Amino acid sequence: MKHLTRRHRVSAGTEALALFVGLSNAASRRLVACTQCRYNSTGTSPSGNVTVDGKSYQTDEWHNLSSNITASISRRLHVQKDHPISITRSIIESRFPSPTFKYHNNFFPVVSTQQNFDSLGFPVDHPGRSKTDTYYINQETVLRTHTSAHQADVFRANESEGWLISADVYRRDAIDRSHYPIFHQMEGARMWDRTKAPNGDIAAAVLKDIEALPKHSMKVEDPNPPTHPERNPLQKEHSLTEAEAIAAHLKKSLELVVVEIFSRAKAAAVSANPDFVDERLKVRWIEAYFPFTSPSWELEIFWQGDWLEVLGCGVVKQDIMDKAGQPQQLGWAFGMGLERIAMLLFEIPDIRLFWSKDERFLGQFRGLSENLDNLRRFVPFSKFPSCYKDVAFWLRSSSSSAGGGSRANTQDFHENDVMEIVRDIGGDVVEDVAKVDEFAHPKTGRRSLCYRINYRSLERTLTNEEANGYHEQVRKALVEKLGVELR
């Protein structure tokens, strides 16, 4: 197998791990200069107030929450009984039993910029801090962009040997079937304390815990050594036997999660189709690189003819524990995206469906929280026709992104501003938005962009007149809020 360091493609799992260990999701963001979007999507004045899930906050010029985001915060899908996201969380939690693991599922989504950025080492000019990427209540308060906003507090509290954090997270992003401004992450850790291990022998304590884990018969490809001096180095604070033992416990624990999830997925497939051809479940461990874990890995699953990356994991670097005031502890961490797992588990084709209130969707999962053995695949209730509309425009000539012109940060164009305008107006009626054309005027250098918006409801047939109404509002808003010139 080819030895890999860090590949350019990023899954929700690897991103969650990167955030867990103090690295932002830089690989999945557009790495441009940190600028502020030039409009307030809610129109709230700088001196106003906003209520988020019953709590009131002062707003300022950084405020950029839209009403549809604010209205969705109270949904809390990851703890909503019989919801696919909540069911997926429960299945994973079942492989990390209490009291060894403590579950943190109720952290409030509003956090400080110190929790969300500073405690994780985000530089002040990192694009993740920009209003183009993050929802701000005010300059010092945001909707968390990752579960790792709570990581330092949980490590510092040291209430259990292991823990899982599951939560809804918020980001301004693209619009398509696999991206939504609200999604869910889970991250977890398992630590061992040198002062509590017999004779201080961490390796022996970990190996004893491995023996207590259930066995599985899944085929696992893991051709690389537990550590490698260049690709996957051993930390100087750890002995080789300690690192090898922790790595073995980590991999075995996560393999058992995979067995649990995909065994249930296959059972649901057989229930839906008695002629379903069962293929032997295969997984493989890929060497990875994360700045704050070493050694590190990604886990891929061979599912329906393709290798799918589902999570990232590694041995936590010791300085993380030092900063949390727990220098005597060492262990492992992992991160994954719950939507990715739920879409595979239930074969849900569009991420918008998770937010549907249609009984034809929600009713399919009724009672599953009480009996996971009745797990079943999602059955599409209809495929409604799409309605494509294009919008083309010239960027402001005064914008640096438009060529020539004087530079003014407040005028810079960012694609996420387009996405947010479309989302504010169309909501879940918009299936996806894609840039289909871009060119620069040969004489002036002025840039022209064209976006194709696919209007398609998940719940009913959308008329052309309705789509035209949404689209006309989008066109007007682009002019009013971004100052573009329609073509």
Side-chain angles (χ1 to χ4, degrees):
M1 179 179 294
K2 181 180 178 182
H3 298 303
L4 300 177
T5 52
R6 188 73 178 95
R7 289 167 294 173
H8 294 296
R9 62 190 181 86
V10 175
S11 75
T14 26
E15 180 181 85
L17 174 74
L19 291 165
F20 174 94
V21 294
L23 175 67
S24 73
N25 54 322
S28 66
R29 296 185 185 273
R30 300 171 182 85
L31 295 182
V32 296
C34 182
T35 60
Q36 303 309 321
C37 59
R38 56 175 171 266
Y39 79 95
N40 181 334
S41 61
T42 62
T44 304
S45 66
S47 60
N49 288 276
V50 64
T51 299
V52 179
D53 201 14
K55 296 185 179 182
S56 181
Y57 297 89
Q58 185 78 26
T59 61
D60 58 21
E61 67 277 4
W62 282 71
H63 181 67
N64 66 347
L65 267 68
S66 60
S67 58
N68 60 352
I69 294 297
T70 305
S72 297
I73 291 174
S74 62
R75 294 285 303 276
R76 294 163 50 80
L77 303 184
H78 64 291
V79 292
Q80 181 179 314
K81 184 178 179 180
D82 293 336
H83 193 280
I85 296 294
S86 180
I87 294 168
T88 301
R89 172 189 58 78
S90 296
I91 290 173
I92 298 171
E93 285 179 349
S94 71
R95 303 315 311 166
F96 299 100
S98 62
T100 301
F101 288 86
K102 182 174 182 178
Y103 313 134
H104 301 274
N105 298 324
N106 295 299
F107 286 134
F108 199 67
V110 178
V111 299
S112 67
T113 52
Q114 195 283 329
Q115 290 173 292
N116 200 74
F117 299 123
D118 300 334
S119 70
L120 299 170
F122 280 58
V124 294
D125 60 347
H126 191 278
R129 292 180 182 261
S130 173
K131 286 171 63 179
T132 59
D133 281 26
T134 296
Y135 290 107
Y136 278 83
I137 293 175
N138 54 52
Q139 187 172 2
E140 297 180 348
T141 314
V142 299
L143 295 182
R144 63 182 165 226
T145 63
H146 42 252
T147 50
S148 297
H150 308 287
Q151 169 206 134
D153 295 334
V154 174
F155 267 139
R156 192 173 296 109
N158 192 29
E159 296 176 341
S160 56
E161 295 174 326
W163 48 262
L164 301 178
I165 299 174
S166 299
D168 42 345
V169 299
Y170 301 78
R171 296 187 202 153
R172 300 170 95 239
D173 206 344
I175 300 176
D176 57 41
R177 295 185 187 183
S178 61
H179 290 83
Y180 202 81
I182 312 173
F183 57 103
H184 299 79
Q185 286 182 341
M186 174 186 282
E187 62 184 60
R190 173 66 163 95
M191 310 305 293
W192 287 266
D193 194 315
R194 291 190 188 277
T195 65
K196 296 179 180 179
N199 301 315
D201 192 339
I202 290 289
V206 176
L207 291 173
K208 182 178 179 180
D209 287 338
I210 292 174
E211 289 300 314
L213 293 174
K215 312 300 180 187
H216 68 73
S217 59
M218 179 175 62
K219 182 179 179 181
V220 179
E221 297 180 18
D222 190 10
N224 297 308
T227 66
H228 187 279
E230 295 176 356
R231 301 191 309 267
N232 234 357
L234 173 71
Q235 297 179 46
K236 62 181 177 58
E237 298 89 348
H238 301 163
S239 70
L240 180 59
T241 55
E242 288 173 340
E244 289 180 341
I246 292 172
H249 191 281
L250 166 64
K251 291 179 178 180
K252 183 68 173 295
S253 298
L254 294 176
E255 288 165 10
L256 289 168
V257 170
V258 170
V259 169
E260 184 74 18
I261 291 171
F262 285 87
S263 293
R264 292 186 180 279
K266 287 182 177 180
V270 171
S271 176
N273 177 17
D275 296 325
F276 176 78
V277 178
D278 187 17
E279 58 180 311
R280 187 178 181 185
L281 187 60
K282 296 184 294 183
V283 304
R284 65 185 182 188
W285 290 103
I286 305 295
E287 289 181 335
Y289 167 74
F290 302 106
F292 297 95
T293 58
S294 189
S296 307
W297 303 271
E298 295 165 351
L299 180 64
E300 295 186 336
I301 300 169
F302 193 76
W303 177 250
Q304 297 187 355
D306 195 14
W307 285 102
L308 304 175
E309 182 184 337
V310 294
L311 60 86
C313 60
V315 178
V316 179
K317 280 197 173 177
Q318 209 55 42
D319 65 340
I320 299 293
M321 303 313 300
D322 294 344
K323 292 176 182 177
Q326 306 295 336
Q328 78 285 4
Q329 295 189 7
L330 59 160
W332 53 251
F334 76 89
M336 67 174 67
L338 292 179
E339 271 80 358
R340 161 63 72 89
I341 302 299
M343 292 176 86
L344 293 173
L345 181 60
F346 295 100
E347 293 215 334
I348 294 174
D350 193 313
I351 198 169
R352 292 177 299 163
L353 279 164
F354 290 121
W355 293 91
S356 174
K357 297 181 180 180
D358 195 314
E359 183 61 23
R360 290 173 296 176
F361 175 75
L362 296 176
Q364 296 190 33
F365 310 100
R366 198 80 68 211
L368 293 188
S369 294
E370 301 295 334
N371 189 350
L372 294 175
D373 291 337
N374 291 332
L375 195 73
R376 48 188 174 270
R377 283 181 167 181
F378 167 67
V379 179
F381 41 83
S382 186
K383 180 69 172 179
F384 297 103
S386 62
C387 189
Y388 292 96
K389 305 288 180 182
D390 289 354
V391 57
F393 51 83
W394 294 102
L395 296 181
R396 281 183 174 182
S397 59
S398 60
S399 169
S400 61
S401 58
S406 61
R407 178 174 175 81
N409 284 345
T410 57
Q411 302 298 322
D412 282 349
F413 173 82
H414 196 291
E415 188 172 89
N416 279 356
D417 291 346
V418 175
M419 300 296 174
E420 200 68 14
I421 287 173
V422 175
R423 184 179 286 118
D424 286 350
I425 293 170
D428 288 352
V429 166
V430 180
E431 181 172 273
D432 57 69
V433 178
K435 184 169 65 176
V436 294
D437 186 45
E438 177 179 4
F439 71 91
H441 192 283
K443 293 184 179 179
T444 66
R446 195 178 183 190
R447 289 174 60 203
S448 172
L449 303 173
C450 179
Y451 286 88
R452 177 159 296 166
I453 305 172
N454 178 18
Y455 299 93
R456 189 208 302 264
S457 172
L458 291 166
E459 300 171 353
R460 63 183 179 84
T461 297
L462 194 68
T463 67
N464 191 56
E465 289 74 17
E466 288 176 301
N468 284 339
Y470 285 121
H471 199 62
E472 186 59 31
Q473 292 181 61
V474 168
R475 287 167 54 87
K476 290 180 179 179
L478 289 172
V479 173
E480 293 172 1
K481 296 180 177 182
L482 301 187
V484 303
E485 179 184 340
L486 297 176
R487 296 182 58 230

